[in-house]
Amino acid sequence: DDEVLDFIVARYGDYVLLDPPFKPSTWALWVGPPIMAGAVFALIIIFIRTWQTQQAATEEVDTLTPTDRAALDALVERIADLRDAAGAAKELERARQLGADAADWAVPLAQAYLALEEPRKVLEELEPAQLRAPLIRARLHAVRGEALQRLGDAARAEQESTEALALAPDDAEVLAAAAQFALVAGRREQAADYVGRALAAAPESSKAWLVSGELARREGRLEEALQAYAKALELDPREH
């Protein structure tokens, strides 16, 4: 038997033995199975922990309070609005590239940039001087004023507002923007005058109703504020 085993080992190697000797040429036979078993065990542990993490995340979502869920829904709506603004900005930029009249895209593009929280783009890419129509130029001045207001440049914002009012003193959009600026600057009487004139010129102006609501809120007239906010939302559910 020993001669037969010696012959087989000589011909095929130690791997054919049920109990091979422990030497460099057979290390794989001795060490391989424990390593493979450890790897399989580690994969099982990773799988179990991943599954537990996913379950915990699911349970966390399922235990949201009604208030938290409402906030989450509002955030989803806000994201959808931003996507729409991004799409609008893209189409308006394309119109500009194709050579469309600036009167058709300048103000909507500025408003889209503001909705996307990009006030610097309004200032860097859109100049009133490129517009011929006084009304459109005035409205662009008004949007630029809001952009400057968001950037904290009150002096230049007031200059833009003044230029807008000089060009279109009776336009509802210009008046609503001027009212908003005056309100932020703490000039409530002036804000009330502007917003009153805006609503007289265009009762359907959601922005004017929004500023009216904010003015009423700051003055403690909460019921009037709620009514004004409701009117703004009724006219334009996506306004702010």
Side-chain angles (χ1 to χ4, degrees):
D1 291 341
D2 292 338
E3 292 181 359
V4 173
L5 288 175
D6 291 341
F7 173 77
I8 292 174
V9 169
R11 185 175 182 85
Y12 300 103
D14 292 318
Y15 292 95
V16 300
L17 299 176
L18 292 176
D19 187 18
F22 188 78
K23 57 184 182 179
S25 62
T26 61
W27 282 354
L29 291 173
W30 287 96
V31 179
I35 292 177
M36 289 297 295
V40 171
F41 180 74
L43 288 173
I44 292 173
I45 294 298
I46 291 171
F47 173 79
I48 292 173
R49 288 184 177 177
T50 302
W51 179 81
Q52 289 174 337
T53 301
Q54 292 173 345
Q55 287 296 109
T58 302
E59 290 174 2
E60 183 178 351
V61 172
D62 290 341
T63 56
L64 285 176
T65 66
T67 302
D68 291 338
R69 188 169 296 282
L72 179 61
D73 291 341
L75 177 60
V76 171
E77 276 189 32
R78 177 61 178 157
I79 291 170
D81 288 345
L82 288 176
R83 286 176 180 169
D84 289 343
K90 184 177 180 181
E91 291 301 319
L92 290 164
E93 287 170 346
R94 184 168 178 271
R96 176 173 60 179
Q97 292 169 357
L98 292 174
D101 190 342
D104 295 329
W105 52 259
V107 174
L109 182 57
Q111 292 169 337
Y113 285 155
L114 278 186
L116 293 169
E117 303 295 339
E118 295 181 333
R120 293 189 185 280
K121 267 194 171 183
V122 177
L123 304 173
E124 294 169 357
E125 300 189 14
L126 301 166
E127 288 288 345
Q130 64 187 319
L131 300 167
R132 295 188 299 273
L135 177 59
I136 306 301
R137 203 158 66 242
R139 289 179 176 177
L140 184 55
H141 274 298
V143 180
R144 284 171 58 88
E146 186 174 348
L148 286 163
Q149 197 172 46
R150 293 190 185 188
L151 292 171
D153 193 338
R156 290 177 61 199
E158 184 162 16
Q159 182 181 354
E160 294 283 354
S161 179
T162 300
E163 292 183 18
L165 286 168
L167 288 166
D170 298 319
D171 180 65
E173 289 189 28
V174 170
L175 286 166
Q180 181 177 2
F181 176 77
L183 184 59
V184 172
R187 300 195 295 266
R188 293 181 183 176
E189 290 186 8
Q190 188 180 54
D193 175 58
Y194 286 147
V195 79
R197 289 164 55 189
L199 289 172
E204 74 284 358
S205 171
S206 62
K207 186 174 183 64
W209 281 109
L210 188 68
V211 179
S212 177
E214 181 60 17
L215 175 62
R217 185 188 69 80
R218 294 194 183 195
E219 293 182 342
R221 297 179 282 115
L222 299 184
E223 186 174 348
E224 291 181 35
L226 288 173
Q227 292 175 353
Y229 289 144
K231 186 66 175 178
L233 287 172
E234 176 189 337
L235 291 167
D236 186 356
R238 302 176 66 163
E239 181 73 23
H240 298 274

